[in-house]
């Protein structure tokens, strides 16, 4: 999500102010990001974790004496077709959707699978999942961050509705910043500020 959507927009805006600075953006697993920063192979990084599972990561950051900062908590949303009878709901729950197939992305290995007993359909990837939802064949539950600048949301073909499930204990996806320096360089902080501004205002680039 970050490398394919948000970071390219961030780099484009950042280059307008700092055309002389070369940026190398890489997509890595969380532990690889932390190791790269610890060994001074990267200046800073971003990673996302479930709010229920971040304790081990925080312990690793503390053990390596790295600095970290929580940037954003991304709540869960249900994605349905705008033609769905559920599209007008303000909030959706598993009880509301009990008769509707839950569509999961095979590649994403979503945590939702461990918490559901309803009919589940596995899609090959996110695009296949989207096409199934567009045909009103089911719904999916994802962090709102995943729908950043989503074409189908912007075109009014899909809608994202807040999702509440007591079995998930109001779980959220947290986005973290990690870095090694005690004080970031001005250009580094500007990059992070640009990144964050796009997170909270995805349409800011067009304004």
């Amino acid at each position: 999500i970050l490398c394919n959507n948000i970071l390219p927009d961030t780099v484009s805006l950042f280059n307008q102010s700092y055309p002389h600075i070369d940026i190398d953006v890489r997509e890595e697993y969380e532990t690889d990001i932390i190791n790269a920063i610890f060994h001074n192979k990267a200046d800073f990084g971003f990673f996302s974790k479930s709010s229920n599972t971040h304790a081990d990561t925080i312990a690793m950051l503390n053990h390596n004496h790295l600095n970290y900062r929580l940037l954003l908590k991304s709540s869960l949303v249900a994605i349905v077709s705008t033609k769905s009878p559920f599209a007008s709901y303000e909030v959706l729950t598993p009880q509301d959707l009990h008769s509707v197939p839950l569509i999961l992305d095979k590649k994403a290995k979503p945590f939702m699978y461990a918490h559901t007993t309803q009919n589940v359909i596995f899609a090959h990837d996110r695009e296949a999942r989207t096409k199934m939802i567009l045909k009103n064949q089911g719904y999916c539950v994802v962090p709102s961050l995943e729908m950043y600048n989503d074409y189908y949301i912007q075109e009014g073909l899909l809608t994202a509705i807040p999702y509440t499930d007591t079995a998930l204990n109001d779980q959220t996806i947290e986005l973290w910043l990690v870095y090694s320096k005690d004080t970031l360089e001005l250009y580094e902080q500007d990059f992070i500020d640009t990144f964050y501004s796009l997170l909270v205002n995805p349409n800011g680039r067009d304004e």
Side-chain angles (χ1 to χ4, degrees), residues 55-104:
D56 290 343
T57 302
I58 298 302
M60 182 188 304
L61 293 172
N62 287 329
H63 177 76
N64 290 318
H65 304 289
L66 296 176
N67 298 301
Y68 54 89
R69 186 193 316 166
L70 176 62
L71 294 180
L72 185 75
K73 290 187 177 183
S74 180
S75 56
L76 298 177
V77 292
I79 307 302
V80 299
S81 164
T82 50
K83 297 180 180 178
S84 165
F86 300 103
S88 61
Y89 280 51
E90 293 185 0
V91 177
L92 285 169
T93 68
Q95 292 72 33
D96 295 323
L97 299 161
H98 73 279
S99 63
V100 183
L102 172 65
I103 303 174
L104 300 180

Side-chain angles (χ1 to χ4, degrees), residues 10 23 57 69 73 84 87 94 118 126 133 147 173 180 201:
T10 303
I23 301 174
T57 302
R69 186 193 316 166
K73 290 187 177 183
S84 165
Q118 71 185 101
R126 176 177 174 173
I133 298 173
M147 305 312 293
I173 300 301
S180 61
N201 181 20

Side-chain angles (χ1 to χ4, degrees), residues 15-48:
N15 282 338
Q16 294 176 24
S17 299
Y18 297 92
H20 58 288
I21 295 180
D22 293 327
I23 301 174
D24 182 13
V25 177
R26 300 182 183 181
E27 184 175 10
E28 302 284 358
Y29 289 109
E30 165 197 321
T31 52
D32 294 329
I33 292 172
I34 293 172
N35 285 331
I37 295 169
F38 179 74
H39 292 290
N40 295 316
K41 295 180 179 179
D43 294 317
F44 56 86
F46 304 99
F47 66 88
S48 58

Side-chain angles (χ1 to χ4, degrees), residues 174-190:
E174 299 176 342
L175 180 64
W176 294 80
L177 164 71
V178 57
Y179 54 99
S180 61
K181 300 176 182 177
D182 291 333
T183 303
L184 292 168
E185 301 290 343
L186 176 60
Y187 69 88
E188 293 173 325
Q189 188 60 57
D190 282 349

